[in-house]
Amino acid sequence: MASAVKAAAGAIYSHLSSNITSIASGWSANANVAWPGVDYDPAAEWVRPTIVWGEGIPSSMGSSGTNIVTGVLILQLFDRPGSGYGTLNGYADNARNLFDRASPGSSVEFLAASGPRQVNQDDTRWLQVNLSIPFVLEDAS
Amino acid sequence: MIIKDCDITVDSLDMSTYLRALTFSEEVEQQDATRHGDSARAFEAGLRTGTVTAQFRQDFTDNTVDEKLTDLLADTDGFVVVIKPTSAAVGAGNPSYTATMNLESYERFDGSDVGSEGLCTATFVLARTSGDNAGFARAVS
């Protein structure tokens, strides 16, 4: 069985990259996204996507049967402090709309998003809210 | 043994890669044959029954789960079901069980919740054949 995890991650990141302006109209995938494993100099507003892979379970018989792999996409949204959370919460709403029940391809199906949750409120440099969007990957041969 | 490679062929269609769970049982009716004067209740073996209940991952594409099972709902003269513990060749450690069966029930959606896998359940029973349907034939070669 060929593992589809790499392709799934690519589809998720591609979904974010190609629709980044639906979160904030002035954003770009290069300037406003802190991609995993890539050096990034933060803009005034930005997002960090992280995929957390969960459990895989066999879903049908046979060496070429289907596995179900669960995961969560974490989106951490950042803004400069001083103007409240309104802007960030608006971006979070847009991000929810982008990923809620979305089918970005490569057998990935998003479920319902949770958040935004305000975090790191003692940080004087950034306001931050997090979204978590669970998904399932049907990993078939 | 750990069940992860059970093999089922229904009317010449290998459905193993869709198979999620299998219940395969054979019973022999026991008729009360106790006589006056006996000190224990005794039974005489009667007719055999065989039942297979299979849960599949639902698939509506051509020549897969739903099309095959829908066709079999209209089948009135039985079809062959073959079950093996694993997909390996038939042998002493991997016998095959073959019977002519009818499709007794087909639940297209097996109570699947929103966001969960689409599953279906089919129940097969021994079919009336032109001769005596003696139930499952066990073969090791």
Side-chain angles (χ1 to χ4, degrees):
Chain A
M1 176 184 297
S3 175
V5 164
K6 182 180 178 183
I12 292 169
Y13 289 139
S14 177
H15 188 64
L16 175 63
S17 174
S18 58
N19 295 287
I20 192 67
T21 56
S22 70
I23 296 177
S25 58
W27 283 15
S28 77
N30 289 330
N32 299 92
V33 182
W35 296 107
V38 178
D39 290 340
Y40 179 67
D41 185 14
E45 301 168 340
W46 53 288
V47 61
R48 176 162 52 210
T50 305
I51 294 173
V52 181
W53 291 101
E55 290 187 39
I57 53 173
S59 177
S60 66
M61 303 281 183
S63 58
S64 58
T66 298
N67 291 335
I68 296 293
V69 182
T70 59
V72 179
L73 172 66
I74 307 291
L75 293 178
Q76 298 168 288
L77 295 150
F78 298 90
D79 188 12
R80 293 293 188 194
S83 302
Y85 281 88
T87 300
L88 273 186
N89 286 337
Y91 293 164
D93 256 345
N94 295 338
R96 287 178 63 112
N97 290 338
L98 178 60
F99 282 99
D100 252 345
R101 303 188 184 217
S103 305
S106 295
S107 299
V108 172
E109 296 289 339
F110 278 98
L111 305 174
S114 294
R117 297 189 183 94
Q118 294 179 12
V119 296
N120 208 19
Q121 296 182 54
D122 294 331
D123 191 332
T124 57
R125 298 165 301 165
W126 300 103
L127 299 182
Q128 179 183 349
V129 299
N130 288 358
L131 285 180
S132 57
I133 312 111
F135 64 86
V136 293
L137 163 64
E138 286 189 286
D139 187 7
S141 62
Chain B
M1 70 180 292
I2 303 297
I3 298 291
K4 61 179 184 178
D5 189 25
C6 199
D7 196 88
I8 184 169
T9 300
V10 178
D11 192 30
S12 302
L13 178 66
D14 184 351
M15 298 180 72
S16 307
T17 57
Y18 303 98
L19 182 64
R20 184 181 170 91
L22 182 69
T23 302
F24 170 25
S25 62
E26 293 184 271
E27 298 89 29
V28 181
E29 291 179 5
Q30 298 297 316
Q31 305 300 335
D32 193 336
T34 313
R35 294 174 293 191
H36 286 282
D38 287 349
S39 58
R41 189 168 294 282
F43 296 88
E44 184 175 345
L47 299 174
R48 296 173 63 174
T49 56
T51 306
V52 172
T53 300
Q55 186 182 51
F56 298 104
R57 291 169 49 81
Q58 183 56 282
D59 192 330
F60 292 98
T61 55
D62 283 350
N63 302 314
T64 61
V65 178
D66 182 67
E67 184 178 14
K68 169 58 73 177
L69 294 176
T70 300
D71 288 348
L72 293 180
L73 282 170
D75 187 297
T76 57
D77 57 358
F79 47 87
V80 173
V81 174
V82 183
I83 294 170
K84 295 186 295 177
T86 78
S87 60
V90 174
N94 192 44
S96 67
Y97 300 86
T98 304
T100 302
M101 308 195 82
N102 287 335
L103 178 57
E104 182 187 61
S105 69
Y106 170 38
E107 293 178 81
R108 277 193 181 81
F109 290 108
D110 183 6
S112 305
D113 295 328
V114 63
S116 66
E117 291 179 84
L119 303 174
C120 63
T121 297
T123 300
F124 306 96
V125 294
L126 295 175
R128 174 78 255 174
T129 56
S130 55
D132 177 27
N133 190 337
F136 282 88
R138 186 180 193 273
V140 294
S141 62

